[in-house]
Amino acid sequence: MKHPTYFSAWTTTTSSIALLLGGCAVGPDYQQPDMVAPAGFHGGDSASNTKGDTSFADLKWQDVFKDAQMSAYIEEALAANWDVKIAASRLLEAEAALAVQRSRFFPSIFAGGDLYNTRTSENGPTGGVPNPERSYGDAGVGISSYEVDLWGNIRYANTAARARYLQSQEAQHTVRQTLVSQVAASYLNLLELDYELQIAEESLETRQESLTLTTAREQGGVAAMQDVVQAEILVYTAQSTMVSIKRDRDLQENALCVLLGRTPTTLARGTKFSDQHFDDAVPAGLPSSLVDRRPDIRSAEQGLIEANANIGQAKAAFYPQVTLTGSYGYQSVSSSDLFKSASRDWQFGPAVSLPIFTGGRLVSNLKITEAQYETALSSYQQTVQNAFKEVSDALVNYQRTHEFTDRQELLTQSNRDAAELANIRYEGGVASYLEVLYNEQELFSAELNLAKSELSELLS
């Protein structure tokens, strides 16, 4: 007995008229907020800082940092730092999400097939059928229902996805820019601690010589035991300071290793701290160009664009949704008749969905998106305002730390002269060692503070 077999082959198509239907966007068009830039940056020499269109920010970091070892570390960090890798992965994620949204512009094509072999029970309700066993199958390709973007819903969704992608891109720029600054600052901190350790070692050597001399004077009856104790205080102070500096230096090395994506280890040095110099001219450029230059501001604006597009999607939900579906193919219970004209089978029809009652959901959702837009707008304006503040702060830090360093150099030289004079007076017998102790301690503190102020100037 032959088992009847059911054969079908079909394809579904979406009418090209869907692509010709014109849609109208019901949401608001995005407009960049008006931000009034100040005439100049507050702080520092404003006249020279904003003179011309050139800006310190236009320089590449390779043109700013001259230390070859520092540049090598920055290159290494940009390639191996974990934050950079995370930002790159998030950018890829946003790029893929954008591609998903773009796919809504096109119908989805699928293919599949089924093969069935069934047997009907002869003892069941339909028992006694002539042929309890049969086989049938179907196979084909098709296009799922396609939404006609009459009101811009899909376009707004794509705009929002593109804004999120660009936000991730600007976030990556921010991470890379911040990383360059962090590596340079960490490296300079490490060199400065090396310099502090050098100052402490030189001071310890001088103080040990002074202790030896004072001990000899006490043994010769020229100096009192109190002078020896005070000389020991200077030696122990230098030694304890050296231990503290070494601890800070090791911790700083570990921090720099993390930025480089390395396991903590000893790091090589390049140019000595005392030979680190940058150009004196730091033009801030025109305040109006700041908005276009900073990645955090550009990222905030993309958030505003996304919020504006979300309003469009919320408004489009109030209007009818139109989808088109259709199919065309062949059906036959015999493979020999499958592609004959009599086996043709097709259907086409639009589906319309109109929201009648949603319990206030659509209205509330629109209010949510409008409130989110206001939040994004305030965040954007706040970001711009903070940017102007940060530039002004940087200019103030740069100029004032330079002035402070100049004064600290004069103070250190005065302490150096005072310490030298105190030693001469003590050796001449006209001053106690207490005067030497005081001036040596002041000189040591002044030298360390000078190193810190020079570091602050480089960092600013």
Side-chain angles (χ1 to χ4, degrees), residues 2 5 15 202 227 280 315 337 355 365 388 428 446 451:
K2 293 185 178 179
T5 304
S15 175
E202 292 175 352
D227 295 344
D280 293 333
K315 287 187 175 182
D337 298 330
N365 187 57
F388 288 126

Side-chain angles (χ1 to χ4, degrees), residues 206-334:
T206 301
R207 292 178 180 189
Q208 286 175 333
E209 293 176 355
S210 179
L211 175 60
T212 301
L213 176 61
T214 304
T215 301
R217 287 169 60 85
E218 187 275 333
Q219 292 174 351
V222 180
M225 189 63 189
Q226 182 181 2
D227 295 344
V228 177
V229 174
Q230 290 171 342
E232 290 176 342
I233 291 174
L234 290 176
V235 171
Y236 298 147
T237 299
Q239 289 176 339
S240 62
T241 302
M242 286 174 59
V243 174
S244 178
I245 293 173
K246 288 180 180 179
R247 178 201 61 197
D248 293 342
R249 184 187 62 176
D250 291 342
L251 293 176
Q252 188 62 51
E253 268 189 323
N254 290 346
L256 181 53
C257 284
V258 170
L259 292 176
L260 301 177
R262 293 191 192 182
T263 301
T265 184
T266 302
L267 295 173
R269 273 65 156 176
T271 306
K272 295 190 301 182
F273 178 77
S274 56
D275 295 330
Q276 294 284 342
H277 298 289
F278 298 125
D279 294 335
D280 293 333
V282 185
L286 297 175
S288 58
S289 66
L290 188 69
V291 176
D292 298 326
R293 187 170 63 231
R294 286 182 53 127
D296 57 338
I297 296 179
R298 296 198 298 263
S299 177
E301 184 178 7
Q302 291 302 325
L304 188 60
I305 293 173
E306 178 186 358
N308 184 80
N310 289 338
I311 294 177
Q313 292 185 79
K315 287 187 175 182
F318 285 89
Y319 294 84
Q321 181 184 17
V322 180
T323 56
L324 301 178
T325 58
S327 65
Y328 182 87
Y330 297 87
Q331 290 185 348
S332 175
V333 295
S334 173

Side-chain angles (χ1 to χ4, degrees), residues 66-87:
K66 306 299 183 182
D67 188 332
Q69 185 61 64
M70 181 193 296
S71 297
Y73 284 149
I74 293 175
E75 292 282 5
E76 180 180 349
L78 290 174
N81 180 264
W82 294 112
D83 288 333
V84 169
K85 292 182 178 180
I86 291 172

Side-chain angles (χ1 to χ4, degrees), residues 179-193:
L179 181 62
V180 170
S181 176
Q182 287 177 332
V183 172
S186 183
Y187 179 73
L188 288 174
N189 272 284
L190 183 59
L191 294 184
E192 191 272 339
L193 289 170

Side-chain angles (χ1 to χ4, degrees), residues 143-165:
I143 302 176
S144 64
S145 61
Y146 174 66
E147 179 183 354
V148 182
D149 193 24
L150 293 176
W151 318 112
N153 180 47
I154 298 178
R155 277 169 286 172
Y156 287 126
N158 273 267
T159 299
R162 182 176 184 274
R164 288 191 293 271
Y165 166 72

Side-chain angles (χ1 to χ4, degrees), residues 101-123:
Q101 286 297 333
R102 283 177 177 168
S103 68
R104 295 178 62 190
F105 283 115
F106 309 97
S108 298
I109 301 175
F110 60 90
D114 297 292
L115 178 64
Y116 297 94
N117 188 283
T118 64
R119 185 183 190 282
T120 303
S121 172
E122 296 183 31
N123 297 324

